[in-house]
């Protein structure tokens, strides 16, 4: 088996040329014969370096509008021949095929074209054929060939060739092959998923290029990895690395805050909101969100949908918290937060989020559409003798946004665009209601004139009765129970309003 191999011939054909020049110049300086095609060939010529066109090697021009350039035995024979086999050596000598020791190739920007909204014709033309074949061939023959399928590896190979007099080791070539197969696998998955859009979807394929090892998983004895580009999502302005639990809470916080257009602050603990308020100014939103449950806010994840100014930062700084997320910060505000080095301060970037979600389950994976529906006053149907006032409808809308993002079974109380209390993750809806009442009383909130939202229907009238006796004036629920009439009758008896939305928001 080959170990160290000196590069004598290299095939270079890339879509993106940035970062390529230093490596090409080194290869030429080390006496490597360069083969290339099209734009890459011209790029090398413009550097005043010798280069041989692939057409001159194969005896065939680029045809079919560039669809066929490198698909030829003189190219693939040079890549795939096994240097330690006498039969292979005899054949490449017979057909005058040069041994190609290095392949540098990238792929047409298929994913980028899809994201940019390209036409079907443009997208299809960005399905690479020659490039993907070169990558697989060179990676397969890593015993003898170096494959660079990512521009991120240019400088690494350059350093290796400089330090090793133009040679590479088997270990290095195998590492490049692993990266190359990752590139080709990801590319093919993206193409498949472009075609795999018609329901029912019978095949599950996902590929994410980036990965970051976490300190640990949900608990210290569990390993954890985040797959994705966190730097694309957030700019970290201060603090330690996000933990697994931080990431879960941050995901919940982002989903919740995106429901609100007006200036809003939310505080979350274990993915559930323990404080939410919408106001004209973010300072007031913070103050009122914290007042909801200042005990649970300790060590929580905070998120705002407006810039954080110095005055707001000064108040926030009085609380111990894990993570703060906002779209922008005044420079003076950042300095306030930097006084505590471990506290994570994230500036959210404008990134389109997936519209589907999946997780492992039993011996497989389940996938679903994200819950992207929210019902406002226009989707609320009055079902009681008393109708909700405009102000109650506004509060019901506010409460509905929160209940959608709270662990089932859940009940949410709201008043004046403020979360008053919630009961979360209970095994019965009446328990969730009782928990919410206890929390509201514990922090001195009167429920007189407040509204209540439920993530699912009421199977019995007891919740409506208890809520009305606590002071609730209007109730929102999806409806759909065979005993809906019992809850409606109870609301009428208690002279409170009830609306139904027809949409359930379970969250497990």
């Amino acid at each position: 088996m080959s170990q160290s191999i000196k590069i004598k011939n290299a095939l270079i054909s890339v879509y993106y040329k940035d970062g390529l020049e230093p490596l090409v110049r080194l290869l030429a300086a080390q006496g490597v014969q360069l083969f290339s095609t099209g734009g890459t060939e011209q790029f090398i010529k413009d550097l005043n370096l010798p280069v041989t066109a692939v057409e001159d090697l194969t005896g065939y021009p680029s045809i079919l509008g560039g669809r066929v350039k490198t698909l030829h035995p003189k190219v693939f024979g040079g890549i795939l021949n096994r240097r330690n086999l006498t039969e292979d050596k005899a054949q490449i000598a017979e057909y005058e095929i040069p041994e190609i020791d290095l392949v540098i190739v990238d792929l047409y920007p298929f994913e980028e074209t899809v994201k940019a909204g390209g036409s079907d014709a443009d997208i299809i033309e960005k399905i690479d054929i020659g490039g993907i074949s070169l990558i697989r061939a060179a990676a397969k023959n890593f015993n003898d060939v170096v494959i660079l399928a990512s521009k991120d590896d240019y400088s690494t190979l350059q350093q290796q060739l400089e330090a090793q007099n133009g040679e590479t080791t088997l270990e290095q070539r195998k590492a490049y092959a692993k990266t190359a197969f990752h590139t080709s696998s990801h590319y093919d998955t993206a193409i498949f998923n472009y075609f795999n859009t018609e329901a029912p979807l019978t095949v599950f394929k996902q590929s994410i290029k980036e990965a970051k090892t976490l300190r640990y998983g949900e608990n210290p004895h569990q390993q954890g990895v985040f797959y994705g580009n966190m730097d694309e999502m957030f700019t970290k302005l201060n603090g330690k690395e996000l933990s697994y639990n931080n990431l879960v809470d941050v995901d919940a916080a982002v989903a919740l805050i995106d429901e609100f257009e007006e200036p809003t602050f939310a505080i979350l603990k274990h993915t559930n909101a323990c404080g939410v308020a919408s106001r004209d100014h973010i300072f007031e939103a913070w103050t009122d969100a914290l007042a909801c449950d200042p005990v649970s806010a300790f060590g929580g994840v905070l998120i705002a949908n407006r810039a954080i100014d110095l005055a707001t930062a000064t108040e926030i700084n009085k609380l111990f918290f894990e993570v703060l997320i906002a779209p922008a910060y005044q420079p003076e505000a950042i300095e306030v937060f930097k006084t505590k080095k471990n506290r994570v301060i994230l500036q959210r970037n404008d990134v389109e989020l997936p519209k589907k979600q999946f997780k492992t389950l039993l011996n497989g994976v389940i996938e679903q559409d994200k819950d992207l529906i929210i019902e406002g006053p226009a989707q609320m149907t009055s079902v009681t003798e008393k109708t909700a006032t405009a102000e109650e409808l506004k509060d019901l809308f506010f409460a509905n946004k929160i209940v959608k993002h709270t662990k089932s079974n859940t009940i949410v109380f709201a008043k004046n665009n403020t979360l008053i209390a919630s009961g979360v993750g209970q095994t019965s809806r009446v328990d969730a209601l009782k928990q919410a009442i206890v929390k509201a009383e514990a922090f001195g909130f009167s429920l007189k004139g407040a509204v209540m939202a439920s993530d699912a229907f009421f199977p019995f009238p007891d919740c409506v009765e208890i809520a009305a006796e606590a002071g609730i004036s209007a109730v929102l629920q999806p409806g759909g129970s065979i005993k809906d009439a019992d809850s409606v009758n109870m609301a009428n008896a208690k002279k409170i309003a009830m609306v139904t939305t027809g949409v359930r928001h379970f969250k497990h």
Side-chain angles (χ1 to χ4, degrees):
M1 182 180 289
S2 305
Q3 294 300 320
S4 291
I5 292 180
K6 191 173 185 66
I7 296 174
K8 304 180 296 296
N9 300 299
L11 172 62
I12 308 175
S13 180
V14 296
Y15 190 87
Y16 297 108
K17 315 299 189 294
D18 49 311
L20 182 62
E21 180 179 344
L23 178 57
V24 172
R25 288 192 181 279
L26 175 64
L27 292 170
Q30 292 184 336
V32 176
Q33 181 174 3
L34 304 179
F35 296 93
S36 192
T37 64
T40 309
E41 178 192 352
Q42 187 60 50
F43 173 81
I44 297 173
K45 285 181 177 178
D46 291 343
L47 298 177
N48 295 316
L49 298 175
V51 59
T52 301
V54 167
E55 290 93 332
D56 294 337
L57 172 63
T58 64
Y60 281 85
S62 172
I63 61 174
L64 304 181
R67 282 190 166 195
V68 180
K69 290 182 284 190
T70 58
L71 297 170
H72 192 279
K74 281 205 169 183
V75 174
F76 283 86
I79 296 170
L80 286 166
N81 78 90
R82 292 154 291 189
R83 274 60 161 174
N84 62 336
L85 287 188
T86 303
E87 298 90 335
D88 284 12
K89 286 184 176 181
Q91 284 191 322
I92 66 168
E94 177 184 356
Y95 296 108
E96 299 181 340
I97 298 174
E99 292 182 342
I100 296 176
D101 314 296
L102 168 64
V103 176
I104 304 176
V105 62
D106 62 10
L107 301 170
Y108 291 159
F110 177 84
E111 287 182 280
E112 293 84 348
T113 305
V114 172
K115 288 180 180 178
S119 66
D120 286 343
D122 288 340
I123 291 170
I124 296 303
E125 283 306 307
K126 291 300 185 293
I127 298 178
D128 206 310
I129 303 300
I132 204 79
S133 301
L134 290 169
I135 288 174
R136 291 180 63 84
K140 176 178 179 177
N141 204 25
F142 68 86
N143 277 333
D144 302 303
V145 180
V146 178
I147 171 63
L148 286 195
S150 170
K151 62 183 179 181
D152 295 337
D153 291 329
Y154 291 172
S155 61
T156 302
L157 179 62
Q158 182 179 342
Q159 292 168 9
Q160 291 168 347
L161 295 180
E162 289 172 339
Q164 298 163 191
N165 193 30
E167 294 185 349
T168 61
T169 67
L170 178 61
E171 182 181 10
Q172 290 166 349
R173 295 192 297 276
K174 190 172 184 180
Y176 288 126
K178 175 184 175 182
T179 300
F181 282 123
H182 174 43
T183 297
S184 64
S185 171
H186 179 84
Y187 195 76
D188 285 339
T189 297
I191 294 171
F192 172 78
N193 284 334
Y194 171 73
F195 286 97
N196 187 40
T197 56
E198 294 185 8
L201 305 181
T202 57
V203 178
F204 177 83
K205 289 183 185 291
Q206 288 291 332
S207 176
I208 301 174
K209 286 184 177 180
E210 299 85 0
K212 183 175 183 60
T213 301
L214 305 174
R215 296 197 304 274
Y216 51 81
E218 198 165 10
N219 299 291
H221 63 276
Q222 297 170 265
Q223 292 184 343
V225 180
F226 173 76
Y227 295 99
N229 188 351
M230 187 59 61
D231 292 336
E232 180 184 35
M233 183 79 195
F234 299 109
T235 301
K236 190 171 74 171
L237 304 177
N238 189 67
K240 60 186 179 181
E241 295 297 321
L242 290 169
S243 69
Y244 180 99
N245 291 331
N246 287 157
L247 288 169
V248 173
D249 284 336
V250 166
D251 177 68
V254 167
L256 173 60
I257 204 69
D258 282 352
E259 299 286 357
F260 298 91
E261 295 181 3
E262 59 274 31
T264 301
F265 220 114
I267 306 169
L268 288 88
K269 199 74 171 287
H270 299 298
T271 74
N272 295 305
C274 56
V276 185
S278 297
R279 296 291 183 268
D280 292 334
H281 302 286
I282 205 67
F283 180 91
E284 288 79 13
W286 160 251
T287 302
D288 292 341
L290 179 62
C292 173
D293 185 350
V295 174
S296 295
F298 183 86
V301 169
L302 320 179
I303 190 165
N305 61 0
R306 294 293 191 277
I308 303 299
D309 56 24
L310 177 59
T312 307
T314 302
E315 288 301 309
I316 294 172
N317 199 47
K318 297 175 182 178
L319 175 75
F320 169 75
F321 62 89
E322 288 278 342
V323 183
L324 171 62
I325 309 160
Y329 299 83
Q330 285 186 352
E332 298 84 355
I334 297 173
E335 293 306 312
V336 169
F337 294 129
K338 282 185 175 180
T339 58
K340 298 180 181 178
K341 65 178 183 179
N342 286 332
R343 198 161 43 186
V344 181
I345 307 300
L346 301 177
Q347 181 168 299
R348 185 178 173 186
N349 302 322
D350 187 15
V351 174
E352 183 178 359
L353 298 175
K355 291 181 172 57
K356 288 185 178 293
Q357 54 190 176
F358 59 89
K359 65 179 180 180
T360 59
L361 188 148
L362 299 176
N363 62 340
V365 172
I366 53 174
E367 182 183 50
Q368 66 172 356
D369 298 331
K370 280 188 176 179
D371 185 357
L372 300 175
I373 294 174
I374 189 65
E375 307 78 47
Q379 291 78 42
M380 297 177 190
T381 301
S382 179
V383 293
T384 49
E385 296 166 359
K386 181 181 178 181
T387 58
T389 66
E391 197 63 32
E392 287 171 335
L393 289 173
K394 185 178 179 181
D395 280 339
L396 287 169
F397 187 26
F398 179 90
N400 198 30
K401 293 175 182 178
I402 300 171
V403 86
K404 170 184 167 181
H405 294 277
T406 305
K407 193 76 69 176
S408 299
N409 289 308
T410 181
I411 291 291
V412 167
F413 296 149
K415 187 176 182 180
N416 297 330
N417 281 337
T418 307
L419 172 63
I420 300 300
S422 60
V424 303
Q426 298 301 303
T427 52
S428 76
R429 197 156 305 281
V430 71
D431 283 345
L433 171 60
K434 291 176 179 178
Q435 182 190 55
I437 292 173
V438 169
K439 293 204 75 172
E441 292 174 347
F443 293 106
F445 289 105
S446 169
L447 293 179
K448 185 173 176 59
V451 304
M452 177 176 80
S454 173
D455 60 330
F457 62 65
F458 299 114
F460 306 104
D462 51 359
C463 284
V464 178
E465 181 179 14
I466 295 169
E469 290 175 354
I472 295 297
S473 63
V475 176
L476 176 145
Q477 59 136 329
S481 169
I482 59 173
K483 295 185 177 181
D484 272 349
D486 292 347
S487 294
V488 172
N489 291 337
M490 179 59 70
N492 286 331
K494 295 294 183 179
K495 295 181 170 50
I496 65 172
M498 178 183 287
V499 300
T500 58
T501 62
V503 179
R504 187 184 72 186
H505 291 293
F506 270 164
K507 184 171 184 284
H508 289 91

